[in-house]
Amino acid sequence: MGDPHRVGVVGLGFISRAYLDTLANHPAVSIAAVADLDASRSAAVAATVPGAEALSVERLLACPDVQTVLNLTIPAAHADISLGAIDAGKNVYVEKPLAVTLPDGRSILERAASAGVHVGCAPDTVLGTGTQTARAAIDGGLIGRPMSASAVMVTPGHERWHPNPDFYYAPGGGPLLDMGPYYISALIHLLGPVRAVVGAASRLRDERVIGSGPRSGQRIPAGVDTHVTGVLEHANGALSTITTSFDGVATTAAPIEVHGETGTLAVPDPNRFDGAVRLFALGGSEWRVLEPRAGYAESSRGIGLIDLVRADGQRPPRAGGDVALHVLETMTTLLRSAAEGQRIELTTVVERPAPVPLTPVEDWKAYDAYGH
């Protein structure tokens, strides 16, 4: 069957456990090493993952046993860690966003192309049965020609639950850079790439109060806009509106709705892999739930890296760096449009990723399913 693909994990914060739960026992990959700025954390995590070695970040990037670096650092470190891995001849899979700035994102892809290595990037939630079933419904003509979509994410802010939320309110954070990748990636899978945007943004207050953990009650500065809204013009002519906010309390809006000439789809939360996809057809009298018809069933964070390994030169990874760069440009251009007050055309062009056939959990977790 061949040897598992060897992965090194850099950054062992809050999100790392979800990735490790998916990857540590998957036969197609093995966790060869883990690293964090906190050496005690690296040692503690390595003790829970058979075969994993606790290393410094520098040693992991240089380690010959690591083929792909899973970059789970904070957004401000994404570019440096990814470029270091690429320069060492390794593939990279990055937690979203790809980078804080568009030039940094471009550098990652350009250096990877020169080095002959691959880049993947979260979110991979869009590869689950929720978004993929909605895509299959659109591609199958259940709503006719898609004309528009809406995407809505409203919360009071992550400082309520995260004990160290500072990076959410620093450059690379905010509701759009943090949560926008889920919604915009889903819209690209559903409707295709974006050609231009118009944005507006605001900031409710300049400080936030941490609501949990040892720093509870501490005030931190909010250095980015915390309510961002805009219009995305897709290359196929569809128009999407997006709202991402850390300034609201709650919403009854569907996370995503897609409107076509003969029907409307309610799409589940793109921060989740599954969820009910509902259809209201022209002439009908009620919403009906569609059975899952596409996507990796019962998937979890890390399926995008497994999909990258599975691609193995046969097709582009579905959670690939090209999509992530297009998402990054969409978001940073929305913020630029908000600042400049004008419509701006994008410079990146990306192919709509390949759809995911309905893949039962026992299949995507099987070694032989990946051609090894």
Side-chain angles (χ1 to χ4, degrees):
M1 294 192 303
D3 295 326
H5 190 89
R6 299 182 304 279
V7 175
V9 184
V10 179
L12 302 172
F14 186 83
I15 197 63
S16 64
R17 190 70 256 170
Y19 279 91
L20 290 170
D21 286 346
T22 300
L23 299 174
N25 297 310
H26 196 287
V29 299
S30 65
I31 305 300
V34 297
D36 192 271
L37 292 178
D38 183 343
S40 63
R41 181 184 290 176
S42 301
V45 170
T48 70
V49 182
E53 185 178 4
L55 300 176
S56 68
V57 173
E58 293 77 13
R59 286 184 61 201
L60 186 148
L61 295 181
C63 180
D65 288 336
V66 171
Q67 295 171 276
T68 293
V69 170
L70 173 57
N71 183 356
L72 303 181
T73 57
I74 63 171
H78 283 184
D80 285 345
I81 296 299
S82 294
L83 290 170
I86 290 166
D87 289 346
K90 305 183 190 311
N91 305 309
V92 175
Y93 188 91
V94 194
E95 177 55 20
K96 52 76 188 169
L98 177 66
V100 171
T101 70
L102 184 61
D104 279 348
R106 290 189 193 277
S107 293
I108 291 170
L109 263 63
E110 290 168 359
R111 294 258 279 273
S114 296
V117 298
H118 302 292
V119 176
C121 186
D124 53 6
T125 48
V126 294
L127 307 183
T129 53
T131 299
Q132 291 294 316
T133 291
R135 173 179 177 162
I138 294 170
D139 292 350
L142 295 190
I143 63 169
R145 182 174 56 163
M147 304 297 294
S148 64
S150 60
V152 180
M153 190 289 301
V154 176
T155 77
H158 292 347
E159 72 275 11
R160 295 170 301 121
W161 56 268
H162 199 293
N164 294 293
D166 309 66
F167 68 93
Y168 289 119
Y169 297 98
L176 183 62
L177 269 292
D178 178 54
M179 297 300 292
Y182 297 106
Y183 293 81
I184 296 172
S185 295
L187 290 170
I188 290 170
H189 276 262
L190 295 170
L191 298 174
V194 177
R195 67 184 177 199
V197 301
V198 177
S202 64
R203 193 176 314 179
L204 183 64
R205 51 191 181 274
D206 293 327
E207 288 186 330
R208 295 281 171 154
V209 180
I210 299 176
S212 66
R215 299 172 63 198
S216 181
Q218 181 179 333
R219 293 180 177 273
I220 60 173
V224 295
D225 286 329
T226 48
H227 183 97
V228 184
T229 187
V231 177
L232 315 182
E233 300 177 19
H234 293 268
N236 67 354
L239 300 177
S240 294
T241 59
I242 184 169
T243 298
T244 61
S245 182
F246 285 165
D247 290 339
V249 174
T251 179
T252 59
I256 295 177
E257 287 186 341
V258 182
H259 306 284
E261 289 181 302
T262 62
T264 290
L265 283 173
V267 184
D269 185 350
N271 193 16
R272 294 179 52 197
F273 288 86
D274 54 12
V277 177
R278 297 180 296 133
L279 170 68
F280 199 112
L282 185 65
S285 59
E286 61 183 14
W287 294 90
R288 67 181 179 93
V289 175
L290 302 180
E291 290 295 320
R293 59 184 66 189
Y296 292 117
E298 300 178 48
S299 50
S300 52
R301 294 180 197 275
I303 189 66
L305 191 153
I306 294 170
D307 183 88
L308 182 149
V309 171
R310 182 184 182 186
D312 200 22
Q314 302 167 37
R315 57 159 174 79
R318 294 182 174 94
D322 55 344
V323 176
L325 183 67
H326 190 64
V327 171
L328 178 62
E329 185 180 22
T330 301
M331 295 187 299
T332 55
T333 306
L334 266 175
L335 293 174
R336 181 181 150 208
S337 172
E340 297 179 2
Q342 61 179 332
R343 174 185 178 274
I344 303 176
E345 294 188 358
L346 272 61
T347 61
T348 57
V349 178
V350 68
E351 294 292 328
R352 194 176 178 214
V356 181
L358 184 60
T359 308
V361 61
E362 60 269 19
D363 286 350
W364 69 258
K365 285 188 173 182
Y367 197 94
D368 287 343
Y370 294 87
H372 295 284

